PDB file of all heavy atoms in Angstrom:
ATOM      1  N   GLU I 105     100.100  82.147  44.145  1.00 64.00           N
ATOM      2  CA  GLU I 105      99.229  82.644  45.278  1.00 64.00           C
ATOM      3  C   GLU I 105      99.271  81.698  46.403  1.00 64.00           C
ATOM      4  O   GLU I 105      99.022  80.477  46.202  1.00 64.00           O
ATOM      5  CB  GLU I 105      97.839  82.978  44.827  1.00 64.00           C
ATOM      6  CG  GLU I 105      97.736  84.176  43.885  1.00 64.00           C
ATOM      7  CD  GLU I 105      96.293  84.531  43.595  1.00 64.00           C
ATOM      8  OE1 GLU I 105      95.483  83.549  43.575  1.00 64.00           O
ATOM      9  OE2 GLU I 105      95.949  85.724  43.414  1.00 64.00           O
ATOM     10  N   VAL I 106      99.561  82.134  47.575  1.00 73.00           N
ATOM     11  CA  VAL I 106      99.610  81.283  48.756  1.00 73.00           C
ATOM     12  C   VAL I 106      98.302  81.412  49.547  1.00 73.00           C
ATOM     13  O   VAL I 106      97.844  82.481  49.917  1.00 73.00           O
ATOM     14  CB  VAL I 106     100.768  81.733  49.704  1.00 73.00           C
ATOM     15  CG1 VAL I 106     100.848  80.879  50.878  1.00 73.00           C
ATOM     16  CG2 VAL I 106     102.097  81.629  48.905  1.00 73.00           C
ATOM     17  N   VAL I 107      97.758  80.222  49.802  1.00 73.00           N
ATOM     18  CA  VAL I 107      96.466  80.169  50.604  1.00 73.00           C
ATOM     19  C   VAL I 107      96.771  79.845  52.000  1.00 73.00           C
ATOM     20  O   VAL I 107      97.540  78.898  52.280  1.00 73.00           O
ATOM     21  CB  VAL I 107      95.534  79.088  49.860  1.00 73.00           C
ATOM     22  CG1 VAL I 107      94.270  79.006  50.678  1.00 73.00           C
ATOM     23  CG2 VAL I 107      95.218  79.555  48.474  1.00 73.00           C
ATOM     24  N   VAL I 108      96.176  80.533  52.956  1.00 70.00           N
ATOM     25  CA  VAL I 108      96.390  80.310  54.354  1.00 70.00           C
ATOM     26  C   VAL I 108      95.066  80.166  55.130  1.00 70.00           C
ATOM     27  O   VAL I 108      93.991  80.456  54.587  1.00 70.00           O
ATOM     28  CB  VAL I 108      97.192  81.481  55.019  1.00 70.00           C
ATOM     29  CG1 VAL I 108      98.524  81.613  54.300  1.00 70.00           C
ATOM     30  CG2 VAL I 108      96.406  82.817  54.847  1.00 70.00           C
ATOM     31  N   THR I 109      95.176  79.679  56.388  1.00 74.00           N
ATOM     32  CA  THR I 109      93.966  79.526  57.216  1.00 74.00           C
ATOM     33  C   THR I 109      94.099  80.249  58.525  1.00 74.00           C
ATOM     34  O   THR I 109      93.424  79.933  59.494  1.00 74.00           O
ATOM     35  CB  THR I 109      93.753  78.012  57.454  1.00 74.00           C
ATOM     36  OG1 THR I 109      94.947  77.537  58.184  1.00 74.00           O
ATOM     37  CG2 THR I 109      93.544  77.196  56.240  1.00 74.00           C
ATOM     38  N   SER I 110      94.903  81.317  58.587  1.00 68.00           N
ATOM     39  CA  SER I 110      95.213  81.965  59.800  1.00 68.00           C
ATOM     40  C   SER I 110      93.975  82.721  60.384  1.00 68.00           C
ATOM     41  O   SER I 110      93.871  82.958  61.532  1.00 68.00           O
ATOM     42  CB  SER I 110      96.318  83.034  59.599  1.00 68.00           C
ATOM     43  OG  SER I 110      97.563  82.343  59.440  1.00 68.00           O
ATOM     44  N   ARG I 111      93.037  83.033  59.501  1.00 71.00           N
ATOM     45  CA  ARG I 111      91.772  83.575  59.979  1.00 71.00           C
ATOM     46  C   ARG I 111      90.679  82.518  59.991  1.00 71.00           C
ATOM     47  O   ARG I 111      89.489  82.844  59.958  1.00 71.00           O
ATOM     48  CB  ARG I 111      91.320  84.768  59.116  1.00 71.00           C
ATOM     49  CG  ARG I 111      92.282  85.953  59.229  1.00 71.00           C
ATOM     50  CD  ARG I 111      91.636  87.257  58.959  1.00 71.00           C
ATOM     51  NE  ARG I 111      91.051  87.338  57.591  1.00 71.00           N
ATOM     52  CZ  ARG I 111      90.256  88.329  57.163  1.00 71.00           C
ATOM     53  NH1 ARG I 111      89.903  89.302  57.979  1.00 71.00           N
ATOM     54  NH2 ARG I 111      89.813  88.336  55.949  1.00 71.00           N
ATOM     55  N   ARG I 112      91.133  81.300  60.180  1.00 70.00           N
ATOM     56  CA  ARG I 112      90.247  80.090  60.401  1.00 70.00           C
ATOM     57  C   ARG I 112      89.350  79.782  59.231  1.00 70.00           C
ATOM     58  O   ARG I 112      88.298  79.130  59.324  1.00 70.00           O
ATOM     59  CB  ARG I 112      89.367  80.249  61.614  1.00 70.00           C
ATOM     60  CG  ARG I 112      90.103  80.948  62.808  1.00 70.00           C
ATOM     61  CD  ARG I 112      91.381  80.257  63.103  1.00 70.00           C
ATOM     62  NE  ARG I 112      91.276  79.331  64.192  1.00 70.00           N
ATOM     63  CZ  ARG I 112      92.217  78.483  64.558  1.00 70.00           C
ATOM     64  NH1 ARG I 112      93.410  78.493  63.908  1.00 70.00           N
ATOM     65  NH2 ARG I 112      92.144  77.629  65.524  1.00 70.00           N
ATOM     66  N   ARG I 113      89.739  80.311  57.997  1.00 71.00           N
ATOM     67  CA  ARG I 113      89.112  79.920  56.769  1.00 71.00           C
ATOM     68  C   ARG I 113      90.198  80.118  55.648  1.00 71.00           C
ATOM     69  O   ARG I 113      91.163  80.813  55.853  1.00 71.00           O
ATOM     70  CB  ARG I 113      87.862  80.762  56.472  1.00 71.00           C
ATOM     71  CG  ARG I 113      88.131  82.269  56.532  1.00 71.00           C
ATOM     72  CD  ARG I 113      86.775  83.000  56.477  1.00 71.00           C
ATOM     73  NE  ARG I 113      86.910  84.405  56.444  1.00 71.00           N
ATOM     74  CZ  ARG I 113      86.895  85.214  57.515  1.00 71.00           C
ATOM     75  NH1 ARG I 113      86.810  84.646  58.689  1.00 71.00           N
ATOM     76  NH2 ARG I 113      86.946  86.493  57.435  1.00 71.00           N
ATOM     77  N   LYS I 114      89.991  79.467  54.500  1.00 75.00           N
ATOM     78  CA  LYS I 114      90.976  79.570  53.477  1.00 75.00           C
ATOM     79  C   LYS I 114      90.898  80.865  52.709  1.00 75.00           C
ATOM     80  O   LYS I 114      89.803  81.279  52.215  1.00 75.00           O
ATOM     81  CB  LYS I 114      90.741  78.348  52.515  1.00 75.00           C
ATOM     82  CG  LYS I 114      91.129  77.012  53.165  1.00 75.00           C
ATOM     83  CD  LYS I 114      91.110  75.872  52.137  1.00 75.00           C
ATOM     84  CE  LYS I 114      91.568  74.601  52.844  1.00 75.00           C
ATOM     85  NZ  LYS I 114      91.619  73.472  51.832  1.00 75.00           N
ATOM     86  N   GLU I 115      92.066  81.556  52.698  1.00 76.00           N
ATOM     87  CA  GLU I 115      92.180  82.903  51.996  1.00 76.00           C
ATOM     88  C   GLU I 115      93.546  82.992  51.421  1.00 76.00           C
ATOM     89  O   GLU I 115      94.467  82.331  51.829  1.00 76.00           O
ATOM     90  CB  GLU I 115      91.966  83.997  53.045  1.00 76.00           C
ATOM     91  CG  GLU I 115      90.582  83.954  53.776  1.00 76.00           C
ATOM     92  CD  GLU I 115      90.550  84.978  54.910  1.00 76.00           C
ATOM     93  OE1 GLU I 115      91.272  84.846  55.855  1.00 76.00           O
ATOM     94  OE2 GLU I 115      89.788  85.928  54.720  1.00 76.00           O
ATOM     95  N   VAL I 116      93.628  83.911  50.477  1.00 79.00           N
ATOM     96  CA  VAL I 116      94.909  84.206  49.894  1.00 79.00           C
ATOM     97  C   VAL I 116      95.692  85.099  50.856  1.00 79.00           C
ATOM     98  O   VAL I 116      95.170  86.107  51.399  1.00 79.00           O
ATOM     99  CB  VAL I 116      94.741  84.952  48.512  1.00 79.00           C
ATOM    100  CG1 VAL I 116      96.070  85.365  47.962  1.00 79.00           C
ATOM    101  CG2 VAL I 116      94.039  84.039  47.531  1.00 79.00           C
ATOM    102  N   ALA I 117      96.957  84.725  51.088  1.00 79.00           N
ATOM    103  CA  ALA I 117      97.724  85.440  52.138  1.00 79.00           C
ATOM    104  C   ALA I 117      97.835  86.942  51.919  1.00 79.00           C
ATOM    105  O   ALA I 117      97.768  87.734  52.856  1.00 79.00           O
ATOM    106  CB  ALA I 117      99.118  84.823  52.244  1.00 79.00           C
ATOM    107  N   GLN I 118      97.992  87.325  50.654  1.00 83.00           N
ATOM    108  CA  GLN I 118      98.148  88.749  50.333  1.00 83.00           C
ATOM    109  C   GLN I 118      96.853  89.540  50.605  1.00 83.00           C
ATOM    110  O   GLN I 118      96.883  90.800  50.595  1.00 83.00           O
ATOM    111  CB  GLN I 118      98.584  88.951  48.868  1.00 83.00           C
ATOM    112  CG  GLN I 118     100.015  88.591  48.596  1.00 83.00           C
ATOM    113  CD  GLN I 118     101.010  89.539  49.352  1.00 83.00           C
ATOM    114  OE1 GLN I 118     101.557  89.250  50.331  1.00 83.00           O
ATOM    115  NE2 GLN I 118     101.199  90.741  48.774  1.00 83.00           N
ATOM    116  N   GLU I 119      95.750  88.893  50.758  1.00 83.00           N
ATOM    117  CA  GLU I 119      94.421  89.520  50.896  1.00 83.00           C
ATOM    118  C   GLU I 119      94.071  89.805  52.340  1.00 83.00           C
ATOM    119  O   GLU I 119      93.135  90.601  52.628  1.00 83.00           O
ATOM    120  CB  GLU I 119      93.353  88.712  50.233  1.00 83.00           C
ATOM    121  CG  GLU I 119      93.503  88.468  48.728  1.00 83.00           C
ATOM    122  CD  GLU I 119      93.339  89.718  47.997  1.00 83.00           C
ATOM    123  OE1 GLU I 119      92.495  90.604  48.327  1.00 83.00           O
ATOM    124  OE2 GLU I 119      94.067  89.885  46.966  1.00 83.00           O
ATOM    125  N   ILE I 120      94.729  89.190  53.320  1.00 85.00           N
ATOM    126  CA  ILE I 120      94.359  89.339  54.665  1.00 85.00           C
ATOM    127  C   ILE I 120      95.197  90.403  55.420  1.00 85.00           C
ATOM    128  O   ILE I 120      96.395  90.501  55.120  1.00 85.00           O
ATOM    129  CB  ILE I 120      94.369  87.950  55.447  1.00 85.00           C
ATOM    130  CG1 ILE I 120      95.809  87.454  55.545  1.00 85.00           C
ATOM    131  CG2 ILE I 120      93.557  86.965  54.716  1.00 85.00           C
ATOM    132  CD1 ILE I 120      95.940  86.191  56.376  1.00 85.00           C
ATOM    133  N   PRO I 121      94.562  91.116  56.362  1.00 87.00           N
ATOM    134  CA  PRO I 121      95.322  92.208  57.047  1.00 87.00           C
ATOM    135  C   PRO I 121      96.140  91.687  58.250  1.00 87.00           C
ATOM    136  O   PRO I 121      95.887  92.172  59.374  1.00 87.00           O
ATOM    137  CB  PRO I 121      94.127  93.159  57.397  1.00 87.00           C
ATOM    138  CG  PRO I 121      92.993  92.265  57.677  1.00 87.00           C
ATOM    139  CD  PRO I 121      93.161  91.132  56.647  1.00 87.00           C
ATOM    140  N   ILE I 122      96.965  90.707  58.074  1.00 87.00           N
ATOM    141  CA  ILE I 122      97.783  90.170  59.096  1.00 87.00           C
ATOM    142  C   ILE I 122      99.165  90.000  58.598  1.00 87.00           C
ATOM    143  O   ILE I 122      99.289  89.422  57.452  1.00 87.00           O
ATOM    144  CB  ILE I 122      97.220  88.763  59.610  1.00 87.00           C
ATOM    145  CG1 ILE I 122      95.865  88.943  60.294  1.00 87.00           C
ATOM    146  CG2 ILE I 122      98.226  88.153  60.608  1.00 87.00           C
ATOM    147  CD1 ILE I 122      95.235  87.635  60.571  1.00 87.00           C
ATOM    148  N   PRO I 123     100.214  90.347  59.281  1.00 88.00           N
ATOM    149  CA  PRO I 123     101.567  90.042  58.780  1.00 88.00           C
ATOM    150  C   PRO I 123     101.854  88.613  58.960  1.00 88.00           C
ATOM    151  O   PRO I 123     101.772  88.127  60.107  1.00 88.00           O
ATOM    152  CB  PRO I 123     102.482  90.941  59.673  1.00 88.00           C
ATOM    153  CG  PRO I 123     101.680  91.226  60.897  1.00 88.00           C
ATOM    154  CD  PRO I 123     100.268  91.229  60.467  1.00 88.00           C
ATOM    155  N   ILE I 124     102.089  87.949  57.906  1.00 88.00           N
ATOM    156  CA  ILE I 124     102.214  86.455  57.964  1.00 88.00           C
ATOM    157  C   ILE I 124     103.289  85.956  56.976  1.00 88.00           C
ATOM    158  O   ILE I 124     103.472  86.501  55.897  1.00 88.00           O
ATOM    159  CB  ILE I 124     100.815  85.797  57.592  1.00 88.00           C
ATOM    160  CG1 ILE I 124     100.849  84.288  57.799  1.00 88.00           C
ATOM    161  CG2 ILE I 124     100.370  86.168  56.156  1.00 88.00           C
ATOM    162  CD1 ILE I 124      99.532  83.651  57.680  1.00 88.00           C
ATOM    163  N   SER I 125     104.055  84.972  57.480  1.00 88.00           N
ATOM    164  CA  SER I 125     105.053  84.327  56.627  1.00 88.00           C
ATOM    165  C   SER I 125     104.634  82.903  56.410  1.00 88.00           C
ATOM    166  O   SER I 125     104.174  82.222  57.353  1.00 88.00           O
ATOM    167  CB  SER I 125     106.443  84.370  57.282  1.00 88.00           C
ATOM    168  OG  SER I 125     106.873  85.693  57.614  1.00 88.00           O
ATOM    169  N   VAL I 126     104.767  82.421  55.221  1.00 88.00           N
ATOM    170  CA  VAL I 126     104.301  81.133  54.831  1.00 88.00           C
ATOM    171  C   VAL I 126     105.488  80.272  54.251  1.00 88.00           C
ATOM    172  O   VAL I 126     106.176  80.718  53.392  1.00 88.00           O
ATOM    173  CB  VAL I 126     103.127  81.147  53.864  1.00 88.00           C
ATOM    174  CG1 VAL I 126     102.625  79.755  53.583  1.00 88.00           C
ATOM    175  CG2 VAL I 126     101.997  81.997  54.414  1.00 88.00           C
ATOM    176  N   VAL I 127     105.614  79.072  54.730  1.00 86.00           N
ATOM    177  CA  VAL I 127     106.629  78.166  54.252  1.00 86.00           C
ATOM    178  C   VAL I 127     105.930  76.920  53.791  1.00 86.00           C
ATOM    179  O   VAL I 127     105.325  76.199  54.611  1.00 86.00           O
ATOM    180  CB  VAL I 127     107.698  77.794  55.264  1.00 86.00           C
ATOM    181  CG1 VAL I 127     108.777  76.884  54.653  1.00 86.00           C
ATOM    182  CG2 VAL I 127     108.350  79.079  55.823  1.00 86.00           C
ATOM    183  N   GLY I 128     105.953  76.572  52.529  1.00 85.00           N
ATOM    184  CA  GLY I 128     105.249  75.414  51.985  1.00 85.00           C
ATOM    185  C   GLY I 128     105.947  74.165  52.337  1.00 85.00           C
ATOM    186  O   GLY I 128     107.197  74.147  52.664  1.00 85.00           O
ATOM    187  N   GLY I 129     105.253  73.041  52.247  1.00 83.00           N
ATOM    188  CA  GLY I 129     105.831  71.729  52.621  1.00 83.00           C
ATOM    189  C   GLY I 129     107.010  71.395  51.707  1.00 83.00           C
ATOM    190  O   GLY I 129     107.981  70.824  52.167  1.00 83.00           O
ATOM    191  N   SER I 130     106.843  71.642  50.441  1.00 83.00           N
ATOM    192  CA  SER I 130     107.944  71.283  49.534  1.00 83.00           C
ATOM    193  C   SER I 130     109.218  72.178  49.838  1.00 83.00           C
ATOM    194  O   SER I 130     110.358  71.598  49.757  1.00 83.00           O
ATOM    195  CB  SER I 130     107.524  71.530  48.064  1.00 83.00           C
ATOM    196  OG  SER I 130     107.193  72.928  47.870  1.00 83.00           O
ATOM    197  N   GLN I 131     109.012  73.379  50.293  1.00 84.00           N
ATOM    198  CA  GLN I 131     110.249  74.201  50.648  1.00 84.00           C
ATOM    199  C   GLN I 131     110.887  73.650  51.928  1.00 84.00           C
ATOM    200  O   GLN I 131     112.074  73.637  52.026  1.00 84.00           O
ATOM    201  CB  GLN I 131     109.773  75.698  50.876  1.00 84.00           C
ATOM    202  CG  GLN I 131     110.966  76.618  51.086  1.00 84.00           C
ATOM    203  CD  GLN I 131     110.499  78.031  51.260  1.00 84.00           C
ATOM    204  OE1 GLN I 131     109.286  78.345  51.281  1.00 84.00           O
ATOM    205  NE2 GLN I 131     111.449  78.947  51.407  1.00 84.00           N
ATOM    206  N   VAL I 132     109.979  73.210  52.857  1.00 84.00           N
ATOM    207  CA  VAL I 132     110.519  72.597  54.079  1.00 84.00           C
ATOM    208  C   VAL I 132     111.375  71.338  53.691  1.00 84.00           C
ATOM    209  O   VAL I 132     112.523  71.191  54.216  1.00 84.00           O
ATOM    210  CB  VAL I 132     109.410  72.155  55.034  1.00 84.00           C
ATOM    211  CG1 VAL I 132     109.884  71.273  56.175  1.00 84.00           C
ATOM    212  CG2 VAL I 132     108.712  73.417  55.564  1.00 84.00           C
TER     213      VAL I 132
END
Side-chain angles (χ1 to χ4, degrees):
E105 289 187 329
V106 178
V107 176
V108 297
T109 59
S110 290
R111 294 206 300 171
R112 321 310 261 174
R113 52 189 184 270
K114 292 189 175 182
E115 301 172 293
V116 176
Q118 286 293 101
E119 299 292 325
I120 65 174
I122 296 174
I124 185 171
S125 302
V126 182
V127 182
S130 60
Q131 187 179 5
V132 169

